[in-house]
C-alpha cells in the first residue's frame, strides 16, 4: 500500500496530526523499528514510539526481570520478577496494548560479536540501549553502510548521566526542518532597485529569517514577482530584500509574500569517528564544559565494563579511582582535551548501577522524537550527541555515608543507589497534590509510582484531581488509558493504573475542578497538608489560580506544559523564586470586529467568522429564546405588553426566531438556503454597493487594496460540493435545534436540490446601513432595535398566535454546545463549509477540515514525546524541592524537540520590594492582623502601623476599594467595622487585603505592600 493512500484514524491521532502532518504520519505508519534493551530507558522509548504510531516494533532483551526493575520499568510486575521472565516478554503485551495499529514482536536471541546482523536490514531504524560500546560500533558500521542507510540511535542512562547518539547516514534529507506553519506576509511596498526591499505593514512583522525562501502572489504593478521564488535577507522586523528588481515594472499595491520550505540535507558521521570528536548540543550554557566531561566519564564507564564485564560497585572508592584513571586515558584520545571533572566521574562510578526514572523519562522523550525524525524526515535531527547529567541532585549528598546507597533488596534499590535511603524515605512520606490527569498528569503519576511518592507506612499521599472523562483522542498520549476506559473519569482510571505499577502507593483520586468555587474543598487546611503542588494543566487561567493558592499557602509548585514539540518546566520555591503570576505574557491579539464582519484577509479570519456564526445561530440565539419563554410563559401576554409599549429585553429577536421557526425538514433546508444567499451573495453585493471597486480614500489610495480584499458574490450551485455541504450541515443543525426528524434520503443531493430549486428568492436590495471600517471599534454588546422593528415584531407575533404556532412545544428549542471531536455532529462540517465559502467570496486560499478543526476548536497540538520529556524534567526538580536544596540547584527548562533545542536556565530569583529602608517584602511575605467583633477600619490601619512600622494609605479587597482617602465618603468608612466593610462569607475566618503606602519622596504613585491577612477574631494556636 502506498504511504500516501493510508487513512489516518483522526479520532486517535487528531492532536498528533497537527504536530507531524499527514505525510509524516503515513511514512511513520510504514516504518519498522528495532529496539534493544527493555530497561527503564528502553521501555520509555517503546511507549512513546508505539503511541506515535509506527507500523511495527521489535523489542529485544536477553535479561531476566529483577527486583530493581520494579523501580525502573513501569511495565514489569512483581510476578514477572518471581517467575524470572525475560524483560521483553514481560513488557510485550503492555506495549502492544498502547496502540492497536502497531505490531509489537520480541526477540530474546543474544546479540554479540558473533551475531549476524543481516536481520537488521528489515528495519528503517535501530535503537540500542544497555549495549556494550564494541557492539554499538559494530552495529552502527553495519547500519551506516546499508543503501539506504538504516538510521541508528544509541542511548543510555547510568545513574546520574545520560547520553544520546544519532547517525542517519551521509545524506539525510529533511523536507520540513521546523514544523512551523509557513508564513504569509501582506506587502505594503516593494522598491525597484538592485536589491529590492519588501516592506510589510507596521503592525504585522514578517518573522522570517535570512536564508529562507518566499514566493509572491497578487502583486499589482510589479507582476513579474508573482509565482517567482526568492532567497531573502532580513533588513528589519518589517522588511527584507529579495535581490534585483530594477528591471521590473514599478510596484503599485497589494501582494502577499508566502514562505516556501526548502529541503535540507544533513551529514552524519559514524560512531567511531564521533567518539573522538563529538558534535553535540549544549543544553546548559552556564556549564559549556559539561557535555565533553560527561562524554569522557561515560566512555570511561564503557571501558570499565569492557574490562570487568560489570559496572562499578555502588559507592566503591576503588572502582571510582579506576574510573578516574580510565577517564584520563580517554581525554588523551579526544581531539578536544577537556579538563577532568573528578567529581562527575566519581559520582558516575558510585551511581552507575543505579537508575533515576525521571532522567530516563526526560531522555526517553527526546530519543523517541529522534526516532520519529529518522523514519519520517520531519524536523531537524540531533547532530549528533546529547549529554545530560543531574549533578545538581547528588552533589548536596556528598557527605552522606556510602552505606545509605547500598541495596536493601526492594523495588527502590536502583533509586537508592543514586540518592541514598534517607532521601528515598522522604519521597515515600511525601504529600503531593497533582492537578490535572491528562497527558502530563499520566506521565507524572508513572514517575511518582517508580519513585515511590506517597507510599510511606505512616505518611504520604498523592491527591490527584481532574473533572474530565476519557476521550478517544486522549489515548494517543495519555498512556495509562485504554479503549475500554473511554467515558470513564480520568483521575480514577489513572489512579487504578498507577497502582498496578506500584501497589504500595496511596492515591486519592478526585473529580473536583480546582477553582474559586471549590475552595470549600481545596481550602487552606488542604494546601497546608501538601508538601508540593504539581500542575498538569492546559490553560493559563487555571495555572494562575493554583499559583496564587500555592503562594498564599507558601507551598512549592512545579508547573509544565507542552505545545507540539515544544515544552517548558518551571519550578516555584517559597522564598527563593518568583511565581508563575510574577510574569504575564501579552494577551493574544484579537481579530478586529470590522475585519471579521466585512474585511477578512486570511483563512483564520473566515474560520473565526464561521465559528461565530455557529455560536450565534445554534447556541446563543436558541439559549436566549429558551430563557425568554421561561420568563414569559404566555405569548398572548407578551403580545399585550408589546401593544402597551412595554419594552421586553430580547423580545424582537425572540419573536423573529419564533416567526421563522422551521416546522419540518423542508423548512430547514429552505432556511439554510436563505442563509447561504445572505452570507455569501447579498453580503458581497452590499459591500460593493457601499464601496465600489474604484472607491478611493482621502489620500487618493484605493480603498480595496491589501490587506482589504474585494468580495465576489457566490452564485449558489447545489452540485458544488462546498455549497451542498453548507446546506446539508446547516439544515441538519437547524433540525436538531428545533427537534425535527429527517431521514438519510432527505440528506441526498437530489432531495435537497428539489427543495432549493423550488424556492423563489428575493432579489438583492441595497441597504443604507453603514459598514464599519475602523479596526479599533469593538463589537457592540446589543443590536439596537428600531421602532419599525418593534412594529414588525408585533405583527409577526400576532400572526404566529393566530396560526396556532405558539404552543408550549413551539416555545422550547435545543441549544447546541460546540463539540469539535464528534465527527457525526456536523459542527466542524458546518464551520468548514461556511469558512471556505467565505474564503471563496474573498479570494482567500481555503482550508481543509483538519486545519479548520484545529483553528475553530483551538486545539493544542500534542505528542507523547514532549509530554514524557517535561514530566521527567519536573520530577527531577521535585527531588531538589524534597531535599530543600539552595536556589542555585533549581533549573527551568525550555525545549523544542523539532529543531532541536534544549535550554536549562536558573529559576527566577525572588525580587524584594523596598517600602522604606528598614521595611521590604517579597511575594512570599504576608502580614497578619488579628481583629475582633467591633474592630474598625481605623483600628486595622493603626494595627498595621503598630505591628509593621508604617501606616497604610489605601486598603483594597480584590477589586473593591475599601479605603482610598481621596474618594468621596471614604473618610467616613474609618468608623465602620471590618466585619461590615468586608462581609465575610459563611465559614470564612479571614480575608486577604492589599495595602499601599505613601512614597517617601514626591513620587507619582503609592508604594504597594505585601498582602495583609486580616483574621476576624483571634485564632487559637
Amino acid at each position: 500500500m502506498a504511504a500516501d493512500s493510508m487513512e489516518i484514524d483522526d479520532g486517535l491521532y487528531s492532536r498528533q496530526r497537527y504536530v507531524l502532518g499527514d505525510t509524516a504520519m503515513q511514512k511513520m505508519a510504514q516504518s519498522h523499528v528495532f529496539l534493544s534493551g527493555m530497561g527503564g530507558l528502553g521501555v520509555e522509548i517503546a511507549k512513546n514510539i508505539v503511541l506515535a504510531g509506527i507500523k511495527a516494533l521489535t523489542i529485544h532483551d536477553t535479561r531476566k526481570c529483577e527486583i530493581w526493575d520494579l523501580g525502573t520499568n513501569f511495565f514489569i510486575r512483581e510476578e514477572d520478577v518471581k517467575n524470572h521472565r525475560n524483560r521483553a516478554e514481560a513488557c510485550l503485551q503492555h506495549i502492544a496494548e498502547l496502540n492497536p495499529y502497531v505490531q509489537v514482536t520480541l526477540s530474546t536471541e543474544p546479540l554479540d560479536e558473533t551475531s549476524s546482523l543481516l536481520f537488521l536490514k528489515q528495519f528503517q531504524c535501530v535503537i540500542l540501549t544497555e549495549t556494550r560500546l564494541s557492539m554499538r560500533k559494530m552495529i552502527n558500521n553495519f547500519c551506516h553502510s546499508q543503501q539506504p542507510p538504516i538510521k541508528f540511535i544509541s542511548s543510555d542512562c547510568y545513574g546520574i548521566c545520560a547520553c544520546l547518539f544519532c547517525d542517519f547516514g551521509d545524506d539525510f534529507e529533511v523536507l520540513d526542518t521546523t514544523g512551523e506553519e509557513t508564513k504569509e506576509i501582506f506587502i505594503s511596498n516593494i522598491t525597484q532597485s538592485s536589491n529590492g526591499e519588501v516592506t510589510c505593514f507596521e503592525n504585522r512583522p514578517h518573522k522570517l529569517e535570512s536564508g529562507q525562501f518566499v514566493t509572491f502572489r497578487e502583486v499589482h504593478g510589479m507582476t513579474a514577482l508573482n509565482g517567482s521564488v526568492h532567497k531573502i535577507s532580513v533588513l528589519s522586523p518589517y522588511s527584507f530584500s529579495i535581490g534585483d528588481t530594477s528591471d521590473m515594472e514599478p510596484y503599485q499595491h497589494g501582494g502577499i509574500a508566502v514562505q516556501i520550505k526548502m529541503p535540507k540535507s544533513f551529514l552524519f558521521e559514524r560512531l567511531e569517528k564521533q567518539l573522538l570528536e563529538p558534535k553535540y548540543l549544549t543544553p546548559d550554557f552556564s556549564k559549556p564544559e559539561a557535555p565533553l566531561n560527561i562524554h569522557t566519564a561515560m566512555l570511561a564507564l564503557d571501558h570499565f565494563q569492557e574490562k570487568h564485564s560489570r559496572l562499578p560497585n555502588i559507592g566503591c572508592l576503588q572502582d571510582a579511582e579506576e574510573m578516574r584513571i580510565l577517564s584520563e586515558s580517554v581525554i588523551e584520545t579526544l581531539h578536544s582535551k577537556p579538563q577532568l571533572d573528578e567529581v562527575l566521574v566519581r559520582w558516575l562510578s558510585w551511581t552507575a548501577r543505579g537508575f533515576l526514572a525521571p532522567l530516563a523519562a526526560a531522555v526517553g522523550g527526546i530519543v523517541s522524537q529522534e526516532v520519529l525524525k529518522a523514519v519520517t524526515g520531519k524536523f531537524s535531527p540531533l547532530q549528533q550527541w546529547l549529554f545530560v547529567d543531574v549533578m545538581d541532585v547528588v552533589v548536596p549528598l556528598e557527605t552522606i555515608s556510602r552505606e545509605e546507597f547500598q541495596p536493601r533488596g526492594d523495588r527502590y534499590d536502583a533509586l537508592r543507589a543514586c540518592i541514598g535511603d534517607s532521601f528515598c524515605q522522604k519521597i515515600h512520606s511525601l504529600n503531593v497534590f497533582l492537578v490535572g490527569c491528562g497527558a502530563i498528569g499520566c506521565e507524572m503519576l508513572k514517575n511518582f509510582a517508580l519513585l515511590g511518592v506517597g507510599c510511606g507506612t505512616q505518611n504520604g499521599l498523592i491527591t490527584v484531581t481532574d473533572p474530565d472523562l476519557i476521550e478517544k483522542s486522549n489515548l494517543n498520549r495519555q498512556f495509562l488509558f485504554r479503549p475500554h476506559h473511554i467515558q470513564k473519569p480520568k483521575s480514577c482510571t489513572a489512579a487504578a493504573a498507577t497502582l498496578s505499577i506500584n501497589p504500595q502507593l496511596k492515591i486519592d483520586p478526585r473529580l473536583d475542578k480546582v477553582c474559586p468555587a471549590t475552595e470549600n474543598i481545596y481550602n487552606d487546611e488542604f494546601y497546608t497538608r501538601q508538601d508540593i503542588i504539581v500542575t498538569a494543566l492546559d490553560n493559563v487561567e487555571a495555572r494562575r489560580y493554583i499559583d496564587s493558592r500555592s503562594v498564599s499557602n507558601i507551598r512549592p509548585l512545579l508547573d509544565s506544559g507542552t505545545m507540539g514539540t515544544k515544552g517548558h518546566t518551571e519550578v516555584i520555591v517559597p522564598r527563593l523564586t518568583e511565581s508563575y503570576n510574577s510574569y504575564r505574557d501579552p494577551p493574544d491579539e484579537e481579530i478586529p470586529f470590522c475585519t471579521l464582519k466585512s474585511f477578512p484577509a486570511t483563512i483564520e479570519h473566515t474560520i473565526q467568522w464561521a465559528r461565530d456564526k455557529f455560536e450565534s445561530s445554534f447556541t446563543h440565539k436558541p439559549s436566549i429564546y429558551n430563557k425568554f419563554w421561561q420568563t414569559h410563559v404566555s405569548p398572548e401576554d407578551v403580545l399585550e405588553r408589546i401593544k402597551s409599549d412595554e419594552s421586553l429585553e430580547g423580545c424582537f429577536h425572540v419573536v423573529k426566531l419564533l416567526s421563522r421557526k422551521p416546522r419540518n425538514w423542508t423548512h430547514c433546508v429552505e432556511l439554510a438556503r436563505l442563509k447561504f444567499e445572505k452570507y455569501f451573495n447579498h453580503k458581497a453585493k452590499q459591500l460593493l454597493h457601499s464601496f465600489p471597486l474604484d472607491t478611493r480614500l482621502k489620500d487618493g489610495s484605493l480603498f480595496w487594496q491589501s490587506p482589504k480584499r474585494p468580495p465576489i458574490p457566490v452564485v449558489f450551485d447545489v452540485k458544488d460540493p462546498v455549497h451542498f455541504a453548507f446546506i446539508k450541515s446547516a439544515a441538519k443543525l437547524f433540525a436538531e435545534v428545533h427537534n425535527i426528524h429527517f431521514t438519510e434520503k432527505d440528506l441526498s443531493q437530489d432531495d435537497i436540490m428539489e427543495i432549493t430549486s423550488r424556492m423563489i428568492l428575493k432579489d438583492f436590495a441595497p441597504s443604507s446601513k453603514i459598514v464599519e471600517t475602523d479596526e479599533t471599534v469593538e463589537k457592540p454588546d446589543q443590536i439596537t432595535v428600531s421602532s419599525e422593528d418593534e412594529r414588525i415584531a408585533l405583527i409577526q407575533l400576532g400572526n404566529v398566535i393566530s396560526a396556532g404556532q405558539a404552543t408550549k412545544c413551539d416555545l422550547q428549542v435545543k441549544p447546541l454546545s460546540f463539540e469539535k471531536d464528534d465527527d457525526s455532529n456536523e459542527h466542524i462540517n458546518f464551520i468548514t463549509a461556511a469558512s471556505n465559502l467565505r474564503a471563496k467570496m474573498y479570494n482567500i486560499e481555503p482550508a481543509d477540515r483538519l486545519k479548520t478543526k484545529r483553528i475553530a476548536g483551538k486545539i493544542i497540538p500534542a505528542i507523547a514525546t514532549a509530554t514524557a520529556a517535561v514530566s521527567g524534567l519536573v520530577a527531577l526538580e521535585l527531588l531538589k524541592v524534597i531535599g530543600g536544596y539552595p536556589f542555585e540547584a533549581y533549573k527551568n527548562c525550555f525545549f523544542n524537540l523539532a529543531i532541536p533545542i534544549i535550554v536549562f536556565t536558573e529559576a527566577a530569583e525572588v525580587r524584594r520590594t523596598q517600602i522604606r529602608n528598614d521595611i521590604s517584602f517579597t511575594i512570599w511575605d504576608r502580614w497578619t492582623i488579628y481583629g475582633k467583633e467591633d474592630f474598625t477600619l481605623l483600628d486595622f490601619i493603626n494595627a498595621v502601623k503598630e505591628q509593621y512600622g508604617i501606616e497604610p494609605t489605601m486598603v483594597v479587597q480584590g477589586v473593591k476599594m475599601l479605603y482610598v482617602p481621596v474618594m468621596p465618603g471614604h473618610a467616613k468608612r474609618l468608623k465602620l467595622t471590618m466585619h461590615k466593610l468586608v462581609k465575610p462569607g459563611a465559614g470564612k475566618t479571614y480575608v486577604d487585603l492589599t495595602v499601599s503606602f505613601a512614597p517617601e519622596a514626591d513620587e507619582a504613585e503609592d508604594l504597594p505592600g505585601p498582602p495583609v491577612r486580616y483574621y476576624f477574631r483571634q485564632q487559637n494556636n
Side-chain angles (χ1 to χ4, degrees), residues 468-471 474 481 484-493 511:
D468 290 346
L469 303 180
I470 297 163
E471 304 287 346
N474 301 150
F481 306 144
H484 62 271
H485 293 140
I486 289 172
Q487 289 304 299
K488 292 183 178 178
K490 285 186 176 182
S491 57
C492 301
T493 308
L511 306 176

Side-chain angles (χ1 to χ4, degrees), residues 6 24-31 53-56:
M6 290 183 54
M25 289 281 293
Q26 287 155 346
K27 283 183 181 178
M28 189 166 59
Q30 294 291 300
S31 61
I54 59 172
K55 181 173 185 177

Side-chain angles (χ1 to χ4, degrees), residues 63-80:
R63 287 177 49 183
K64 303 293 185 186
C65 295
E66 300 179 49
I67 191 81
W68 287 37
D69 291 314
L70 296 175
T72 64
N73 184 319
F74 46 84
F75 281 152
I76 289 178
R77 304 290 180 255
E78 290 179 2
E79 58 267 26
D80 299 323

